[in-house]
Amino acid sequence: MDFANAFDPTNLTFLLQGFLVTLKIAFFAILLSFVLGIVLGICRYTKLPVLSHLAALYIELIRNLPLLLVIFFGYFGLREWGIKLPVTMSVIVSMTLFTSALVAEIVRSGLNSVDRGLIEASRAQGFTYIQTLRFLVLPLGLKRTIPPMVSQFISLIKDTSLAVVISLPEMTHNAQIIYNKHFNATIPILLIVACLYFVVNYSLSLASRRLEKKLVG
């Protein structure tokens, strides 16, 4: 194993450049899918005739497709329609659309977990449906979604590596270039990549646990 080439400053810099792209993609995809997923989840939970059915159609369609297919469609498919997004923007859009459908189901499950007795008591106190949703169901329901939501975002971070198939210069893509040039450095390079993924995902997991304890406490 060639650790010298793996830890060469030029190679490490190139790898870290890819790591920053990975973080950038993950940050924007997490932020956008969180917002969109909450909106979709609420729409489906409220069971409003039009919004609920449209949200359900979107969620069921997207979450039953493989992410790789969505990435292909977001990059190659849109070009067939004359929409040429930069590769980075294409991946952010694709991952946002895919993850928001999964987040929406997590949100809907969290809202459905709120005890019906509490909701009925709130309505008996004179709260409107919207007030009950805003002040009771959403705070309690969203609090319960923290563990599965974080697990989904950790999966998103790992799934950014799928964008290597459309040559996004993220960490896995850059690692592949390095070990193609220095074949004996393959294992050391992959170990570095694994460590970087682990540090980010484990840190996110720890932060979510602390947040959950703080909210519960």
PDB file of all heavy atoms in Angstrom, residues 49-84:
ATOM      1  N   PRO A  49     -58.631  18.065  -0.125  1.00  0.00           N
ATOM      2  CA  PRO A  49     -58.942  17.292  -1.331  1.00  0.00           C
ATOM      3  C   PRO A  49     -57.900  17.359  -2.441  1.00  0.00           C
ATOM      4  O   PRO A  49     -57.440  16.336  -2.928  1.00  0.00           O
ATOM      5  CB  PRO A  49     -60.278  17.899  -1.781  1.00  0.00           C
ATOM      6  CG  PRO A  49     -60.901  18.401  -0.532  1.00  0.00           C
ATOM      7  CD  PRO A  49     -59.776  18.861   0.330  1.00  0.00           C
ATOM      8  N   VAL A  50     -57.483  18.557  -2.845  1.00  0.00           N
ATOM      9  CA  VAL A  50     -56.560  18.694  -3.969  1.00  0.00           C
ATOM     10  C   VAL A  50     -55.112  18.561  -3.528  1.00  0.00           C
ATOM     11  O   VAL A  50     -54.351  17.745  -4.061  1.00  0.00           O
ATOM     12  CB  VAL A  50     -56.775  20.044  -4.698  1.00  0.00           C
ATOM     13  CG1 VAL A  50     -55.768  20.194  -5.841  1.00  0.00           C
ATOM     14  CG2 VAL A  50     -58.194  20.141  -5.237  1.00  0.00           C
ATOM     15  N   LEU A  51     -54.729  19.366  -2.533  1.00  0.00           N
ATOM     16  CA  LEU A  51     -53.333  19.384  -2.086  1.00  0.00           C
ATOM     17  C   LEU A  51     -52.871  18.016  -1.592  1.00  0.00           C
ATOM     18  O   LEU A  51     -51.765  17.568  -1.901  1.00  0.00           O
ATOM     19  CB  LEU A  51     -53.150  20.425  -0.974  1.00  0.00           C
ATOM     20  CG  LEU A  51     -53.171  21.890  -1.398  1.00  0.00           C
ATOM     21  CD1 LEU A  51     -53.014  22.789  -0.192  1.00  0.00           C
ATOM     22  CD2 LEU A  51     -52.061  22.169  -2.408  1.00  0.00           C
ATOM     23  N   SER A  52     -53.730  17.355  -0.824  1.00  0.00           N
ATOM     24  CA  SER A  52     -53.368  16.058  -0.267  1.00  0.00           C
ATOM     25  C   SER A  52     -53.119  15.027  -1.361  1.00  0.00           C
ATOM     26  O   SER A  52     -52.148  14.266  -1.309  1.00  0.00           O
ATOM     27  CB  SER A  52     -54.474  15.570   0.669  1.00  0.00           C
ATOM     28  OG  SER A  52     -54.156  14.301   1.188  1.00  0.00           O
ATOM     29  N   HIS A  53     -53.971  15.015  -2.376  1.00  0.00           N
ATOM     30  CA  HIS A  53     -53.823  14.042  -3.454  1.00  0.00           C
ATOM     31  C   HIS A  53     -52.604  14.339  -4.330  1.00  0.00           C
ATOM     32  O   HIS A  53     -51.903  13.428  -4.756  1.00  0.00           O
ATOM     33  CB  HIS A  53     -55.094  14.001  -4.307  1.00  0.00           C
ATOM     34  CG  HIS A  53     -56.242  13.317  -3.636  1.00  0.00           C
ATOM     35  ND1 HIS A  53     -57.188  13.992  -2.907  1.00  0.00           N
ATOM     36  CD2 HIS A  53     -56.581  11.996  -3.563  1.00  0.00           C
ATOM     37  CE1 HIS A  53     -58.063  13.134  -2.424  1.00  0.00           C
ATOM     38  NE2 HIS A  53     -57.727  11.911  -2.806  1.00  0.00           N
ATOM     39  N   LEU A  54     -52.342  15.615  -4.580  1.00  0.00           N
ATOM     40  CA  LEU A  54     -51.160  15.982  -5.367  1.00  0.00           C
ATOM     41  C   LEU A  54     -49.883  15.629  -4.611  1.00  0.00           C
ATOM     42  O   LEU A  54     -48.917  15.114  -5.197  1.00  0.00           O
ATOM     43  CB  LEU A  54     -51.195  17.477  -5.687  1.00  0.00           C
ATOM     44  CG  LEU A  54     -52.221  17.932  -6.725  1.00  0.00           C
ATOM     45  CD1 LEU A  54     -52.197  19.447  -6.871  1.00  0.00           C
ATOM     46  CD2 LEU A  54     -51.959  17.266  -8.076  1.00  0.00           C
ATOM     47  N   ALA A  55     -49.866  15.921  -3.305  1.00  0.00           N
ATOM     48  CA  ALA A  55     -48.701  15.593  -2.484  1.00  0.00           C
ATOM     49  C   ALA A  55     -48.485  14.085  -2.440  1.00  0.00           C
ATOM     50  O   ALA A  55     -47.350  13.606  -2.570  1.00  0.00           O
ATOM     51  CB  ALA A  55     -48.881  16.145  -1.073  1.00  0.00           C
ATOM     52  N   ALA A  56     -49.564  13.333  -2.279  1.00  0.00           N
ATOM     53  CA  ALA A  56     -49.467  11.867  -2.234  1.00  0.00           C
ATOM     54  C   ALA A  56     -48.944  11.313  -3.555  1.00  0.00           C
ATOM     55  O   ALA A  56     -48.105  10.400  -3.561  1.00  0.00           O
ATOM     56  CB  ALA A  56     -50.828  11.262  -1.912  1.00  0.00           C
ATOM     57  N   LEU A  57     -49.417  11.870  -4.660  1.00  0.00           N
ATOM     58  CA  LEU A  57     -48.970  11.423  -5.979  1.00  0.00           C
ATOM     59  C   LEU A  57     -47.474  11.657  -6.149  1.00  0.00           C
ATOM     60  O   LEU A  57     -46.739  10.768  -6.596  1.00  0.00           O
ATOM     61  CB  LEU A  57     -49.745  12.160  -7.069  1.00  0.00           C
ATOM     62  CG  LEU A  57     -49.353  11.850  -8.522  1.00  0.00           C
ATOM     63  CD1 LEU A  57     -49.637  10.386  -8.837  1.00  0.00           C
ATOM     64  CD2 LEU A  57     -50.106  12.765  -9.487  1.00  0.00           C
ATOM     65  N   TYR A  58     -47.027  12.851  -5.781  1.00  0.00           N
ATOM     66  CA  TYR A  58     -45.600  13.186  -5.884  1.00  0.00           C
ATOM     67  C   TYR A  58     -44.756  12.264  -5.010  1.00  0.00           C
ATOM     68  O   TYR A  58     -43.741  11.709  -5.449  1.00  0.00           O
ATOM     69  CB  TYR A  58     -45.387  14.644  -5.475  1.00  0.00           C
ATOM     70  CG  TYR A  58     -43.939  15.043  -5.373  1.00  0.00           C
ATOM     71  CD1 TYR A  58     -43.229  15.420  -6.500  1.00  0.00           C
ATOM     72  CD2 TYR A  58     -43.278  15.026  -4.147  1.00  0.00           C
ATOM     73  CE1 TYR A  58     -41.886  15.783  -6.408  1.00  0.00           C
ATOM     74  CE2 TYR A  58     -41.952  15.381  -4.044  1.00  0.00           C
ATOM     75  CZ  TYR A  58     -41.257  15.758  -5.184  1.00  0.00           C
ATOM     76  OH  TYR A  58     -39.936  16.100  -5.079  1.00  0.00           O
ATOM     77  N   ILE A  59     -45.177  12.104  -3.755  1.00  0.00           N
ATOM     78  CA  ILE A  59     -44.407  11.304  -2.791  1.00  0.00           C
ATOM     79  C   ILE A  59     -44.304   9.854  -3.246  1.00  0.00           C
ATOM     80  O   ILE A  59     -43.218   9.260  -3.251  1.00  0.00           O
ATOM     81  CB  ILE A  59     -45.054  11.393  -1.388  1.00  0.00           C
ATOM     82  CG1 ILE A  59     -44.893  12.813  -0.820  1.00  0.00           C
ATOM     83  CG2 ILE A  59     -44.435  10.369  -0.440  1.00  0.00           C
ATOM     84  CD1 ILE A  59     -45.766  13.088   0.387  1.00  0.00           C
ATOM     85  N   GLU A  60     -45.431   9.274  -3.625  1.00  0.00           N
ATOM     86  CA  GLU A  60     -45.425   7.867  -4.023  1.00  0.00           C
ATOM     87  C   GLU A  60     -44.637   7.640  -5.309  1.00  0.00           C
ATOM     88  O   GLU A  60     -43.974   6.620  -5.474  1.00  0.00           O
ATOM     89  CB  GLU A  60     -46.857   7.360  -4.199  1.00  0.00           C
ATOM     90  CG  GLU A  60     -47.656   7.299  -2.903  1.00  0.00           C
ATOM     91  CD  GLU A  60     -46.997   6.425  -1.854  1.00  0.00           C
ATOM     92  OE1 GLU A  60     -46.354   5.403  -2.211  1.00  0.00           O
ATOM     93  OE2 GLU A  60     -47.100   6.762  -0.659  1.00  0.00           O
ATOM     94  N   LEU A  61     -44.704   8.602  -6.215  1.00  0.00           N
ATOM     95  CA  LEU A  61     -43.966   8.482  -7.470  1.00  0.00           C
ATOM     96  C   LEU A  61     -42.460   8.542  -7.225  1.00  0.00           C
ATOM     97  O   LEU A  61     -41.706   7.664  -7.670  1.00  0.00           O
ATOM     98  CB  LEU A  61     -44.376   9.599  -8.434  1.00  0.00           C
ATOM     99  CG  LEU A  61     -43.578   9.689  -9.740  1.00  0.00           C
ATOM    100  CD1 LEU A  61     -43.800   8.435 -10.582  1.00  0.00           C
ATOM    101  CD2 LEU A  61     -43.959  10.935 -10.521  1.00  0.00           C
ATOM    102  N   ILE A  62     -42.020   9.553  -6.500  1.00  0.00           N
ATOM    103  CA  ILE A  62     -40.575   9.787  -6.327  1.00  0.00           C
ATOM    104  C   ILE A  62     -39.931   8.748  -5.423  1.00  0.00           C
ATOM    105  O   ILE A  62     -38.859   8.212  -5.735  1.00  0.00           O
ATOM    106  CB  ILE A  62     -40.321  11.200  -5.763  1.00  0.00           C
ATOM    107  CG1 ILE A  62     -40.782  12.267  -6.763  1.00  0.00           C
ATOM    108  CG2 ILE A  62     -38.836  11.386  -5.451  1.00  0.00           C
ATOM    109  CD1 ILE A  62     -40.031  12.276  -8.073  1.00  0.00           C
ATOM    110  N   ARG A  63     -40.578   8.401  -4.310  1.00  0.00           N
ATOM    111  CA  ARG A  63     -39.902   7.521  -3.351  1.00  0.00           C
ATOM    112  C   ARG A  63     -39.842   6.065  -3.809  1.00  0.00           C
ATOM    113  O   ARG A  63     -39.152   5.256  -3.202  1.00  0.00           O
ATOM    114  CB  ARG A  63     -40.542   7.616  -1.964  1.00  0.00           C
ATOM    115  CG  ARG A  63     -41.858   6.927  -1.780  1.00  0.00           C
ATOM    116  CD  ARG A  63     -42.489   7.312  -0.467  1.00  0.00           C
ATOM    117  NE  ARG A  63     -43.653   6.504  -0.154  1.00  0.00           N
ATOM    118  CZ  ARG A  63     -43.676   5.532   0.756  1.00  0.00           C
ATOM    119  NH1 ARG A  63     -42.582   5.247   1.413  1.00  0.00           N
ATOM    120  NH2 ARG A  63     -44.767   4.857   1.004  1.00  0.00           N
ATOM    121  N   ASN A  64     -40.552   5.750  -4.902  1.00  0.00           N
ATOM    122  CA  ASN A  64     -40.470   4.406  -5.448  1.00  0.00           C
ATOM    123  C   ASN A  64     -39.543   4.316  -6.656  1.00  0.00           C
ATOM    124  O   ASN A  64     -39.536   3.309  -7.369  1.00  0.00           O
ATOM    125  CB  ASN A  64     -41.872   3.903  -5.812  1.00  0.00           C
ATOM    126  CG  ASN A  64     -42.682   3.524  -4.585  1.00  0.00           C
ATOM    127  OD1 ASN A  64     -42.362   2.580  -3.888  1.00  0.00           O
ATOM    128  ND2 ASN A  64     -43.734   4.293  -4.303  1.00  0.00           N
ATOM    129  N   LEU A  65     -38.781   5.371  -6.875  1.00  0.00           N
ATOM    130  CA  LEU A  65     -37.763   5.371  -7.921  1.00  0.00           C
ATOM    131  C   LEU A  65     -36.386   5.298  -7.283  1.00  0.00           C
ATOM    132  O   LEU A  65     -36.181   5.806  -6.174  1.00  0.00           O
ATOM    133  CB  LEU A  65     -37.857   6.661  -8.764  1.00  0.00           C
ATOM    134  CG  LEU A  65     -39.145   6.900  -9.556  1.00  0.00           C
ATOM    135  CD1 LEU A  65     -39.066   8.264 -10.230  1.00  0.00           C
ATOM    136  CD2 LEU A  65     -39.360   5.803 -10.576  1.00  0.00           C
ATOM    137  N   PRO A  66     -35.406   4.684  -7.954  1.00  0.00           N
ATOM    138  CA  PRO A  66     -34.039   4.713  -7.434  1.00  0.00           C
ATOM    139  C   PRO A  66     -33.438   6.104  -7.591  1.00  0.00           C
ATOM    140  O   PRO A  66     -33.696   6.793  -8.593  1.00  0.00           O
ATOM    141  CB  PRO A  66     -33.293   3.688  -8.305  1.00  0.00           C
ATOM    142  CG  PRO A  66     -34.101   3.572  -9.538  1.00  0.00           C
ATOM    143  CD  PRO A  66     -35.533   3.861  -9.164  1.00  0.00           C
ATOM    144  N   LEU A  67     -32.660   6.533  -6.609  1.00  0.00           N
ATOM    145  CA  LEU A  67     -32.053   7.862  -6.648  1.00  0.00           C
ATOM    146  C   LEU A  67     -31.179   8.046  -7.879  1.00  0.00           C
ATOM    147  O   LEU A  67     -31.148   9.130  -8.476  1.00  0.00           O
ATOM    148  CB  LEU A  67     -31.229   8.098  -5.375  1.00  0.00           C
ATOM    149  CG  LEU A  67     -30.418   9.403  -5.312  1.00  0.00           C
ATOM    150  CD1 LEU A  67     -31.317  10.624  -5.528  1.00  0.00           C
ATOM    151  CD2 LEU A  67     -29.682   9.499  -3.994  1.00  0.00           C
ATOM    152  N   LEU A  68     -30.476   6.991  -8.270  1.00  0.00           N
ATOM    153  CA  LEU A  68     -29.594   7.086  -9.434  1.00  0.00           C
ATOM    154  C   LEU A  68     -30.388   7.470 -10.688  1.00  0.00           C
ATOM    155  O   LEU A  68     -29.920   8.272 -11.507  1.00  0.00           O
ATOM    156  CB  LEU A  68     -28.866   5.756  -9.655  1.00  0.00           C
ATOM    157  CG  LEU A  68     -27.738   5.760 -10.691  1.00  0.00           C
ATOM    158  CD1 LEU A  68     -26.682   6.787 -10.344  1.00  0.00           C
ATOM    159  CD2 LEU A  68     -27.120   4.373 -10.789  1.00  0.00           C
ATOM    160  N   LEU A  69     -31.594   6.914 -10.821  1.00  0.00           N
ATOM    161  CA  LEU A  69     -32.438   7.245 -11.975  1.00  0.00           C
ATOM    162  C   LEU A  69     -32.851   8.715 -11.933  1.00  0.00           C
ATOM    163  O   LEU A  69     -32.879   9.391 -12.965  1.00  0.00           O
ATOM    164  CB  LEU A  69     -33.672   6.353 -11.987  1.00  0.00           C
ATOM    165  CG  LEU A  69     -34.655   6.570 -13.148  1.00  0.00           C
ATOM    166  CD1 LEU A  69     -33.993   6.272 -14.478  1.00  0.00           C
ATOM    167  CD2 LEU A  69     -35.896   5.712 -12.953  1.00  0.00           C
ATOM    168  N   VAL A  70     -33.151   9.204 -10.740  1.00  0.00           N
ATOM    169  CA  VAL A  70     -33.528  10.619 -10.591  1.00  0.00           C
ATOM    170  C   VAL A  70     -32.355  11.522 -10.959  1.00  0.00           C
ATOM    171  O   VAL A  70     -32.531  12.556 -11.608  1.00  0.00           O
ATOM    172  CB  VAL A  70     -33.992  10.906  -9.144  1.00  0.00           C
ATOM    173  CG1 VAL A  70     -34.331  12.389  -8.957  1.00  0.00           C
ATOM    174  CG2 VAL A  70     -35.205  10.048  -8.794  1.00  0.00           C
ATOM    175  N   ILE A  71     -31.142  11.126 -10.567  1.00  0.00           N
ATOM    176  CA  ILE A  71     -29.946  11.899 -10.915  1.00  0.00           C
ATOM    177  C   ILE A  71     -29.737  11.909 -12.425  1.00  0.00           C
ATOM    178  O   ILE A  71     -29.436  12.950 -13.023  1.00  0.00           O
ATOM    179  CB  ILE A  71     -28.707  11.331 -10.193  1.00  0.00           C
ATOM    180  CG1 ILE A  71     -28.813  11.599  -8.693  1.00  0.00           C
ATOM    181  CG2 ILE A  71     -27.419  11.942 -10.754  1.00  0.00           C
ATOM    182  CD1 ILE A  71     -27.706  10.948  -7.867  1.00  0.00           C
ATOM    183  N   PHE A  72     -29.903  10.752 -13.053  1.00  0.00           N
ATOM    184  CA  PHE A  72     -29.789  10.674 -14.518  1.00  0.00           C
ATOM    185  C   PHE A  72     -30.807  11.582 -15.194  1.00  0.00           C
ATOM    186  O   PHE A  72     -30.492  12.294 -16.144  1.00  0.00           O
ATOM    187  CB  PHE A  72     -29.984   9.235 -15.001  1.00  0.00           C
ATOM    188  CG  PHE A  72     -28.764   8.374 -14.882  1.00  0.00           C
ATOM    189  CD1 PHE A  72     -28.877   7.012 -14.623  1.00  0.00           C
ATOM    190  CD2 PHE A  72     -27.491   8.904 -15.047  1.00  0.00           C
ATOM    191  CE1 PHE A  72     -27.755   6.213 -14.511  1.00  0.00           C
ATOM    192  CE2 PHE A  72     -26.368   8.109 -14.948  1.00  0.00           C
ATOM    193  CZ  PHE A  72     -26.491   6.757 -14.680  1.00  0.00           C
ATOM    194  N   PHE A  73     -32.044  11.524 -14.699  1.00  0.00           N
ATOM    195  CA  PHE A  73     -33.093  12.337 -15.301  1.00  0.00           C
ATOM    196  C   PHE A  73     -32.797  13.828 -15.107  1.00  0.00           C
ATOM    197  O   PHE A  73     -32.984  14.632 -16.032  1.00  0.00           O
ATOM    198  CB  PHE A  73     -34.453  12.000 -14.700  1.00  0.00           C
ATOM    199  CG  PHE A  73     -35.580  12.800 -15.297  1.00  0.00           C
ATOM    200  CD1 PHE A  73     -36.138  12.435 -16.508  1.00  0.00           C
ATOM    201  CD2 PHE A  73     -36.074  13.922 -14.649  1.00  0.00           C
ATOM    202  CE1 PHE A  73     -37.169  13.172 -17.069  1.00  0.00           C
ATOM    203  CE2 PHE A  73     -37.101  14.673 -15.212  1.00  0.00           C
ATOM    204  CZ  PHE A  73     -37.650  14.296 -16.417  1.00  0.00           C
ATOM    205  N   GLY A  74     -32.322  14.187 -13.904  1.00  0.00           N
ATOM    206  CA  GLY A  74     -32.043  15.584 -13.616  1.00  0.00           C
ATOM    207  C   GLY A  74     -30.914  16.154 -14.453  1.00  0.00           C
ATOM    208  O   GLY A  74     -30.871  17.367 -14.716  1.00  0.00           O
ATOM    209  N   TYR A  75     -30.007  15.290 -14.882  1.00  0.00           N
ATOM    210  CA  TYR A  75     -28.866  15.774 -15.673  1.00  0.00           C
ATOM    211  C   TYR A  75     -29.069  15.552 -17.171  1.00  0.00           C
ATOM    212  O   TYR A  75     -29.019  16.492 -17.965  1.00  0.00           O
ATOM    213  CB  TYR A  75     -27.578  15.091 -15.214  1.00  0.00           C
ATOM    214  CG  TYR A  75     -26.334  15.670 -15.858  1.00  0.00           C
ATOM    215  CD1 TYR A  75     -25.944  16.973 -15.589  1.00  0.00           C
ATOM    216  CD2 TYR A  75     -25.576  14.913 -16.742  1.00  0.00           C
ATOM    217  CE1 TYR A  75     -24.809  17.514 -16.180  1.00  0.00           C
ATOM    218  CE2 TYR A  75     -24.437  15.444 -17.342  1.00  0.00           C
ATOM    219  CZ  TYR A  75     -24.054  16.746 -17.046  1.00  0.00           C
ATOM    220  OH  TYR A  75     -22.931  17.278 -17.643  1.00  0.00           O
ATOM    221  N   PHE A  76     -29.323  14.301 -17.561  1.00  0.00           N
ATOM    222  CA  PHE A  76     -29.459  13.976 -18.986  1.00  0.00           C
ATOM    223  C   PHE A  76     -30.877  14.242 -19.513  1.00  0.00           C
ATOM    224  O   PHE A  76     -31.048  14.740 -20.632  1.00  0.00           O
ATOM    225  CB  PHE A  76     -29.093  12.512 -19.233  1.00  0.00           C
ATOM    226  CG  PHE A  76     -27.667  12.182 -18.891  1.00  0.00           C
ATOM    227  CD1 PHE A  76     -27.367  11.351 -17.814  1.00  0.00           C
ATOM    228  CD2 PHE A  76     -26.626  12.704 -19.626  1.00  0.00           C
ATOM    229  CE1 PHE A  76     -26.062  11.042 -17.501  1.00  0.00           C
ATOM    230  CE2 PHE A  76     -25.303  12.399 -19.314  1.00  0.00           C
ATOM    231  CZ  PHE A  76     -25.026  11.569 -18.246  1.00  0.00           C
ATOM    232  N   GLY A  77     -31.887  13.895 -18.700  1.00  0.00           N
ATOM    233  CA  GLY A  77     -33.263  14.034 -19.144  1.00  0.00           C
ATOM    234  C   GLY A  77     -33.659  15.475 -19.414  1.00  0.00           C
ATOM    235  O   GLY A  77     -34.274  15.782 -20.441  1.00  0.00           O
ATOM    236  N   LEU A  78     -33.296  16.363 -18.495  1.00  0.00           N
ATOM    237  CA  LEU A  78     -33.659  17.768 -18.671  1.00  0.00           C
ATOM    238  C   LEU A  78     -32.985  18.385 -19.889  1.00  0.00           C
ATOM    239  O   LEU A  78     -33.525  19.298 -20.512  1.00  0.00           O
ATOM    240  CB  LEU A  78     -33.308  18.566 -17.408  1.00  0.00           C
ATOM    241  CG  LEU A  78     -34.142  18.251 -16.157  1.00  0.00           C
ATOM    242  CD1 LEU A  78     -33.708  19.132 -15.002  1.00  0.00           C
ATOM    243  CD2 LEU A  78     -35.632  18.431 -16.427  1.00  0.00           C
ATOM    244  N   ARG A  79     -31.802  17.876 -20.230  1.00  0.00           N
ATOM    245  CA  ARG A  79     -31.109  18.394 -21.413  1.00  0.00           C
ATOM    246  C   ARG A  79     -31.882  18.079 -22.691  1.00  0.00           C
ATOM    247  O   ARG A  79     -31.811  18.815 -23.678  1.00  0.00           O
ATOM    248  CB  ARG A  79     -29.693  17.809 -21.493  1.00  0.00           C
ATOM    249  CG  ARG A  79     -28.762  18.425 -20.450  1.00  0.00           C
ATOM    250  CD  ARG A  79     -27.414  17.751 -20.375  1.00  0.00           C
ATOM    251  NE  ARG A  79     -26.588  18.472 -19.420  1.00  0.00           N
ATOM    252  CZ  ARG A  79     -25.559  19.244 -19.748  1.00  0.00           C
ATOM    253  NH1 ARG A  79     -25.220  19.372 -21.016  1.00  0.00           N
ATOM    254  NH2 ARG A  79     -24.857  19.879 -18.827  1.00  0.00           N
ATOM    255  N   GLU A  80     -32.613  16.971 -22.680  1.00  0.00           N
ATOM    256  CA  GLU A  80     -33.444  16.621 -23.828  1.00  0.00           C
ATOM    257  C   GLU A  80     -34.561  17.644 -24.031  1.00  0.00           C
ATOM    258  O   GLU A  80     -35.069  17.819 -25.139  1.00  0.00           O
ATOM    259  CB  GLU A  80     -34.046  15.234 -23.636  1.00  0.00           C
ATOM    260  CG  GLU A  80     -33.047  14.094 -23.675  1.00  0.00           C
ATOM    261  CD  GLU A  80     -32.490  13.856 -25.074  1.00  0.00           C
ATOM    262  OE1 GLU A  80     -33.283  13.881 -26.035  1.00  0.00           O
ATOM    263  OE2 GLU A  80     -31.262  13.675 -25.201  1.00  0.00           O
ATOM    264  N   TRP A  81     -34.932  18.317 -22.943  1.00  0.00           N
ATOM    265  CA  TRP A  81     -35.974  19.343 -23.010  1.00  0.00           C
ATOM    266  C   TRP A  81     -35.393  20.750 -23.127  1.00  0.00           C
ATOM    267  O   TRP A  81     -36.116  21.732 -22.991  1.00  0.00           O
ATOM    268  CB  TRP A  81     -36.866  19.264 -21.760  1.00  0.00           C
ATOM    269  CG  TRP A  81     -37.669  18.010 -21.688  1.00  0.00           C
ATOM    270  CD1 TRP A  81     -37.898  17.117 -22.704  1.00  0.00           C
ATOM    271  CD2 TRP A  81     -38.359  17.501 -20.541  1.00  0.00           C
ATOM    272  NE1 TRP A  81     -38.677  16.083 -22.261  1.00  0.00           N
ATOM    273  CE2 TRP A  81     -38.983  16.284 -20.939  1.00  0.00           C
ATOM    274  CE3 TRP A  81     -38.525  17.921 -19.230  1.00  0.00           C
ATOM    275  CZ2 TRP A  81     -39.748  15.514 -20.062  1.00  0.00           C
ATOM    276  CZ3 TRP A  81     -39.279  17.165 -18.368  1.00  0.00           C
ATOM    277  CH2 TRP A  81     -39.878  15.967 -18.774  1.00  0.00           C
ATOM    278  N   GLY A  82     -34.073  20.824 -23.337  1.00  0.00           N
ATOM    279  CA  GLY A  82     -33.424  22.124 -23.504  1.00  0.00           C
ATOM    280  C   GLY A  82     -33.057  22.813 -22.208  1.00  0.00           C
ATOM    281  O   GLY A  82     -32.653  23.982 -22.210  1.00  0.00           O
ATOM    282  N   ILE A  83     -33.195  22.113 -21.074  1.00  0.00           N
ATOM    283  CA  ILE A  83     -32.834  22.694 -19.770  1.00  0.00           C
ATOM    284  C   ILE A  83     -31.453  22.161 -19.375  1.00  0.00           C
ATOM    285  O   ILE A  83     -31.324  20.999 -18.978  1.00  0.00           O
ATOM    286  CB  ILE A  83     -33.874  22.328 -18.685  1.00  0.00           C
ATOM    287  CG1 ILE A  83     -35.265  22.773 -19.123  1.00  0.00           C
ATOM    288  CG2 ILE A  83     -33.509  22.974 -17.350  1.00  0.00           C
ATOM    289  CD1 ILE A  83     -36.379  22.313 -18.203  1.00  0.00           C
ATOM    290  N   LYS A  84     -30.446  22.994 -19.511  1.00  0.00           N
ATOM    291  CA  LYS A  84     -29.071  22.561 -19.248  1.00  0.00           C
ATOM    292  C   LYS A  84     -28.575  23.160 -17.928  1.00  0.00           C
ATOM    293  O   LYS A  84     -28.068  24.275 -17.891  1.00  0.00           O
ATOM    294  CB  LYS A  84     -28.155  22.964 -20.405  1.00  0.00           C
ATOM    295  CG  LYS A  84     -28.524  22.306 -21.729  1.00  0.00           C
ATOM    296  CD  LYS A  84     -27.574  22.699 -22.841  1.00  0.00           C
ATOM    297  CE  LYS A  84     -27.955  22.011 -24.150  1.00  0.00           C
ATOM    298  NZ  LYS A  84     -27.042  22.381 -25.263  1.00  0.00           N
TER     299      LYS A  84
END
